[in-house]
Amino acid sequence: MVSLHTFNLWSRVGDKIKVPEDTLLAHVPCHENSHFCQGLSAEDYHTVVSYRNGQNTGKTENIGDEEFYENWIELSILGPIQKLSNESELSKFKKGIVNGKKRLSVTIGVFPSEQDTSFQHFQISAEKLAGKYYSSYFINENSKPAITTYRHSEKQKRTDYSGKFDPASVMEFITKSSIPSVIDISTGFTTEILFYQKRPILILFGEEFEPFSKLSARQDARKHYIFTKISGENRNIQKAKEALGVVGNEPVIVLLNKDRVHLISISKPKCPDHLQKLLQMISTSEADKVLSTKNPHPLCFLQVERVNEIFGFEETIVLPDHTLFMDSDPFSRHPAISESGGSGGCPFMQGGGAGGATEGGHHSEL
């Protein structure tokens, strides 16, 4: 289901992308198919669904640019998990090369057989995350089960899974290990990456700062913090800075723990270890500012910038939304959104995870 807002984007993607001959891109024009569209919610009007042999194989409710839809289509065509038949294919995938293109992150599982319980749990995890990550597996009879995420453009090139191979922990590993060490949120971000989760957010305002980037490369540090950066200046970045209590244009690190804001001048930490100690100290100290849930969340202003980039400039009012300060299960059908339309005017707030039309309703086939 493609809304008027996304139809133009979807059409451009159709003209641009090369798909196999047995693949069709289509849309449902509701003005011509009112019987089908009866009962659709606002959420359904930008749902994109993939089918293979009559079976629903995935969907996305997120709204993105042309590249977003191209990547989603490619992932849907590839399927949730690919089998690597030989060492040559394994070597290419490790380098991030999938379908002739270099991907930012790929996850590979190595298992002794397809009957192994660890493989079956990896397969379940990949299917639940279909359309989001490049996942593959390689069978080596002499190998113990292992899962690794490779990110060729990062300082830390690989991250190894160390759990019990249960689907929940494997899903969490794939999700977290695929995220860049430092996420550039200058023009917005995917909602569930920053909101609805327990880790405090570190925001670097300014250019590259070595202690910050080196600390972000440490796996143990990323277990405790999400590292982000904001560079450049525009009206919405200025609004976010003001809401966080950041004054002036000097580089600064913000520790945002739900509603508590701590500011660290980059002149203080001299090395990654020093920065880590400072973070531990200030996390239990009095906050420089406490955000009110009655005001818009500061980071929502950054998402407005992304909306303007995709759809053209619009005068957007960002409303408060207290649910953005809450935790929720990242693998649930929906993030914690209030029944009264709790997106609060924050763009993309309802474009979360794998959910869609309510099951059992008019459009459960979506």
Side-chain angles (χ1 to χ4, degrees):
M1 301 300 302
V2 185
S3 70
L4 288 174
H5 285 292
T6 55
F7 178 75
N8 190 31
L9 277 170
W10 186 245
S11 298
R12 292 205 303 269
V13 170
D15 293 335
K16 184 178 178 182
I17 194 170
K18 293 180 180 179
V19 296
E21 290 183 0
D22 62 353
T23 302
L24 294 175
L25 301 185
H27 75 282
V28 179
C30 282
H31 63 284
E32 295 176 0
N33 297 273
S34 57
H35 61 287
F36 179 89
C37 297
Q38 185 178 4
L40 285 176
S41 70
E43 203 171 73
D44 298 321
Y45 275 108
H46 51 75
T47 301
V48 183
V49 189
S50 63
Y51 297 94
R52 189 189 299 269
N53 298 325
Q55 297 296 313
N56 184 322
T57 58
K59 63 183 171 182
T60 180
E61 298 159 4
N62 289 333
I63 300 176
D65 55 14
E66 291 173 46
E67 184 181 5
F68 167 82
Y69 286 120
E70 283 185 67
N71 287 338
W72 187 85
I73 291 168
E74 285 184 355
L75 282 162
S76 298
I77 292 171
L78 286 170
I81 186 170
Q82 299 176 67
K83 182 176 182 178
L84 305 175
S85 302
N86 51 54
E87 293 282 352
S88 176
E89 290 183 4
L90 176 63
S91 177
K92 278 187 178 180
F93 210 92
K94 280 183 178 180
K95 295 174 183 176
I97 300 171
V98 185
N99 267 17
K101 296 180 182 178
K102 202 148 191 176
R103 314 297 177 173
L104 292 177
S105 70
V106 295
T107 298
I108 302 174
V110 179
F111 304 95
S113 76
E114 292 182 354
Q115 285 68 51
D116 189 271
T117 303
S118 298
F119 166 73
Q120 292 168 0
H121 287 178
F122 180 68
Q123 189 175 35
I124 290 169
S125 303
E127 287 172 354
K128 286 186 176 291
L129 296 171
K132 294 185 177 182
Y133 306 102
Y134 292 96
S135 300
S136 69
Y137 70 96
F138 182 71
I139 299 300
N140 182 343
E141 294 178 359
N142 301 316
S143 173
K144 291 182 178 180
I147 303 173
T148 304
T149 296
Y150 295 89
R151 296 178 300 171
H152 64 86
S153 61
E154 295 278 332
K155 290 182 179 178
Q156 183 183 338
K157 303 294 183 186
R158 59 179 286 171
T159 306
D160 296 310
Y161 172 73
S162 58
K164 297 180 180 179
F165 290 92
D166 58 291
S169 68
V170 171
M171 286 174 67
E172 183 177 13
F173 169 77
I174 294 172
T175 303
K176 289 184 177 178
S177 64
S178 300
I179 297 172
S181 298
V182 180
I183 307 167
D184 190 338
I185 61 172
S186 306
T187 57
F189 51 90
T190 304
T191 298
E192 65 267 27
I193 288 179
L194 299 190
F195 297 134
Y196 310 119
Q197 52 81 42
K198 297 177 186 284
R199 286 177 293 169
I201 303 165
L202 287 174
I203 308 168
L204 171 64
F205 282 94
E207 299 306 316
E208 184 80 9
F209 179 52
E210 191 171 279
F212 186 85
S213 58
K214 284 188 173 180
L215 183 61
S216 72
R218 297 179 181 177
Q219 191 172 347
D220 64 323
R222 293 201 305 276
K223 287 180 180 177
H224 295 95
Y225 307 101
I226 297 179
F227 291 79
T228 68
K229 65 178 180 180
I230 297 175
S231 55
E233 276 295 338
N234 58 51
R235 188 174 67 163
N236 287 308
I237 288 178
Q238 194 58 44
K239 285 182 179 179
K241 290 171 73 172
E242 289 172 3
L244 290 167
V246 176
V247 180
N249 295 317
E250 291 298 315
V252 66
I253 297 170
V254 174
L255 171 60
L256 178 59
N257 189 359
K258 299 302 180 189
D259 61 344
R260 299 172 64 81
V261 180
H262 301 269
L263 304 178
I264 306 172
S265 169
I266 66 165
S267 62
K268 290 183 179 179
K270 307 301 180 187
C271 64
D273 292 331
H274 189 199
L275 175 57
Q276 192 164 27
K277 286 181 180 178
L278 281 174
L279 292 170
Q280 291 168 350
M281 287 171 55
I282 68 170
S283 62
T284 56
S285 64
E286 186 176 347
D288 292 301
K289 182 172 182 175
V290 177
L291 302 176
S292 171
T293 57
K294 294 181 179 180
N295 294 328
H297 194 290
L299 300 185
C300 285
F301 294 111
L302 304 176
Q303 293 186 306
V304 172
E305 195 64 30
R306 185 62 172 159
V307 174
N308 289 341
E309 185 179 311
I310 295 172
F311 296 114
F313 177 79
E314 291 182 355
E315 201 64 56
T316 304
I317 299 173
V318 181
L319 301 177
D321 180 4
H322 71 280
T323 69
L324 301 183
F325 297 90
M326 296 179 178
D327 296 334
S328 73
D329 177 4
F331 308 121
S332 64
R333 185 166 175 82
H334 283 293
I337 298 176
S338 68
E339 293 179 2
S340 59
S343 67
C346 189
F348 297 103
M349 283 301 96
Q350 295 189 32
T358 304
E359 288 185 0
H362 292 289
H363 299 278
S364 59
E365 74 276 11
L366 295 182

